[in-house]
Amino acid sequence: MEIITDISQPLALPRPVVTIGTFDGVHRGHQAILHKMKEIAAGCNGSPVVVTFHPHPRLVLGQHVYLLSTREEKRVAFAESGVAHLIEIPFTREFAKLSAEEFIQLIAQKIRPEVLVIGYDHGFGRDRSGSIEHLFHFGNTLGFKVVQVEELIVDRHHVSSSVIRWLLQEGDAGEAARLLGREYSISGQVIRGNQIGKLIGYPTANLYVDDPDKLIPSMGVYASRVICRGKLYNGMTNIGMRPTINAHKLTIETNIFGFDDDIYYETITVKLVKRIRNEKKFGNLDILKNQLRNDQQTALEILGGSV
Ligand SMILES: Cc1cc2nc3c(=O)[nH]c(=O)nc-3n(C[C@H](O)[C@H](O)[C@H](O)COP(=O)(O)O)c2cc1C
Ligand SMILES: Nc1ncnc2c1ncn2[C@@H]1O[C@H](COP(=O)(O)OP(=O)(O)O)[C@@H](O)[C@H]1O
């Protein structure tokens, strides 16, 4: 996948079939759009092109939001979905001032789309004032076809980035995964903790998350899967303050099943499968250790397999 971050000059992409959006999470609704785009591109010997923005427009416009995907995660999701060219427009306050018409003219001049595939609620240009009706109109005058993709509903939820954010902030990792089309994942470097994990027989890899805007789901204990050194393991993850050891900082820590090695400063990815319970304050480390044994059992029932 080619990544383009400069559209000051016209691009010469072969028969571009284009979609435009912020695509936070690259969830099942987004995937339906990407699928349609690829299908159309395959039918006309065209190339699937995604136009997105970085940083996320809401962050630039001062409406803070915790995001489902980092820039890198979004890139990986697009590449895996078969996108040929990814155009990441640097989003600035200046850029946000473009009217709907100016924005679409810019896209038409620099990218020359043959087809524009768009979601059901797409708003573009200043204050998202451009609607799908505008697009059909501009398509006619600027010479591209517009295809709209229907809204996707999964388990009675409208699939949208904000619904998935809400589910994760409620701790419902299972339902979030259904809407995302994959488990919600967090990647980071393994850092040192208080060395209590090994002492009680459950070493935990503590994650340092580099991106301050990455959404951290609600505190609690989760059944998880872990990518470590290129392999997938079962595990259990605690997101919390660890009241039992009187710690005061939010940590994300994972006991990886069937694994025993030093992975300090290595990067791992934790995929949250399902929430097991709330974090609690236990009277002593022995009681916590018993609880961890039960958690491991519960996690294995959810994940299937053995330690
Ligand atoms: C699956 C799991 C569940 C946990 N649940 C709790 C909990 O309910 N309460 C708590 O205080 N700490 C909990 N912890 C955190 C432990 O206190 C922590 O792993 C231990 O203090 C080791 O910390 P260290 O990695 O800094 O050495 C949990 C950890 C894991 C992996
Ligand atoms: N099965 C495992 N799961 C997680 N970490 C493991 C495992 N086996 C070994 N380790 C190593 O042990 C470290 C965690 O041990 P722990 O005593 O909890 O130390 P810390 O307090 O520094 O996290 C991890 O960072 C990793 O390097």
Side-chain angles (χ1 to χ4, degrees), residues 246-263:
N246 291 319
H248 299 288
K249 196 169 159 280
L250 186 82
T251 55
I252 305 167
E253 55 181 333
T254 302
N255 173 247
I256 308 170
F257 301 165
F259 182 84
D260 184 14
D261 209 351
D262 180 342
I263 46 169

Side-chain angles (χ1 to χ4, degrees), residues 144-158:
F144 55 84
K145 191 176 158 200
V146 177
V147 173
Q148 191 178 13
V149 176
E150 284 309 303
E151 176 181 20
L152 185 71
I153 299 197
V154 172
D155 302 339
R156 302 182 315 280
H157 290 292
H158 299 265

Side-chain angles (χ1 to χ4, degrees), residues 74-146:
K74 239 166 85 170
R75 287 179 171 180
V76 169
F78 286 134
E80 285 176 351
S81 304
V83 172
H85 308 273
L86 173 65
I87 303 175
E88 282 180 358
I89 298 183
F91 195 86
T92 59
R93 282 178 173 269
E94 214 39 49
F95 188 85
K97 289 185 189 146
L98 291 182
S99 69
E101 185 164 2
E102 288 165 335
F103 174 69
I104 283 302
Q105 269 169 354
L106 179 84
I107 297 294
Q109 277 165 15
K110 307 292 188 195
I111 305 172
R112 300 192 149 277
E114 293 217 352
V115 184
L116 195 55
V117 183
I118 225 75
Y120 72 99
D121 68 342
H122 190 67
F124 58 95
R126 189 170 49 228
D127 304 327
R128 295 172 61 99
S129 60
S131 66
I132 188 81
E133 288 73 28
H134 286 104
L135 266 189
F136 280 115
H137 166 76
F138 292 135
N140 275 334
T141 54
L142 296 169
F144 55 84
K145 191 176 158 200
V146 177

Side-chain angles (χ1 to χ4, degrees), residues 193-197 204 206 221 236-238 242-245 253 255 277 279-280 282 288 292 295:
N194 300 323
Q195 316 282 303
I196 295 169
T204 57
N206 298 18
V221 178
M236 54 183 177
T237 299
N238 185 50
R242 305 185 294 171
T244 308
I245 61 162
E253 55 181 333
N255 173 247
R277 64 171 175 88
E279 190 186 43
K280 288 181 223 155
F282 294 100
L288 170 67
L292 290 179
D295 291 340

Side-chain angles (χ1 to χ4, degrees), residues 29-42:
H30 297 142
Q31 286 161 26
I33 297 174
L34 298 176
H35 182 78
K36 188 79 194 165
M37 176 183 70
K38 274 191 304 179
E39 197 177 76
I40 297 172

Side-chain angles (χ1 to χ4, degrees), residues 173-187:
E175 193 57 22
R178 298 253 313 139
L179 271 59
L180 273 169
R182 69 187 115 72
E183 285 119 12
Y184 185 66
S185 68
I186 309 173
S187 298

